[in-house]
Amino acid sequence: MSTIELNVEGMSCGSCVKHVNEALNTVEGVTKVDVDLQAARVRVSGQSDSQVLIASLTDAGYPAQLASPAAGTNNMKKTGCGGSGGCGCN
């Protein structure tokens, strides 16, 4: 089993976390998803391709990229979903 960490844009509320979880749990090989809303990071465990995970999140309205393994903090701008993720927050 491997772990992939992703920086995810646009998460700003619990509903966003739910949508991110749903998007990732539909990907074959995913066994566990841990979302850190404050850091805008997601840790995915299992046997899945990082590009497939990124595509699934992008399709759900949450652009993502691989997190730098050496980064201790997330310096990405938190934009808030503004409803773009389908959660309805503004």
Side-chain angles (χ1 to χ4, degrees), residues 1 5 18 20 23 30 34-35 47 49 53 55 62 74 80:
M1 183 163 64
E5 286 197 31
K18 177 184 169 198
V20 166
V30 171
D34 292 309
V35 180
Q47 294 297 323
D49 181 81
L53 297 172
Y62 300 94
N74 179 11

Side-chain angles (χ1 to χ4, degrees), residues 24-75:
L24 292 172
N25 279 307
T26 63
V27 175
E28 186 175 336
V30 171
T31 57
K32 184 176 179 185
V33 176
D34 292 309
V35 180
D36 183 342
L37 182 61
Q38 284 293 92
R41 277 204 175 195
V42 176
R43 177 176 288 156
V44 183
S45 300
Q47 294 297 323
S48 53
D49 181 81
S50 61
Q51 294 306 310
V52 175
L53 297 172
I54 290 169
S56 181
L57 286 171
T58 300
D59 288 347
Y62 300 94
Q65 63 185 4
L66 285 173
S68 170
T73 60
N74 179 11
N75 295 324

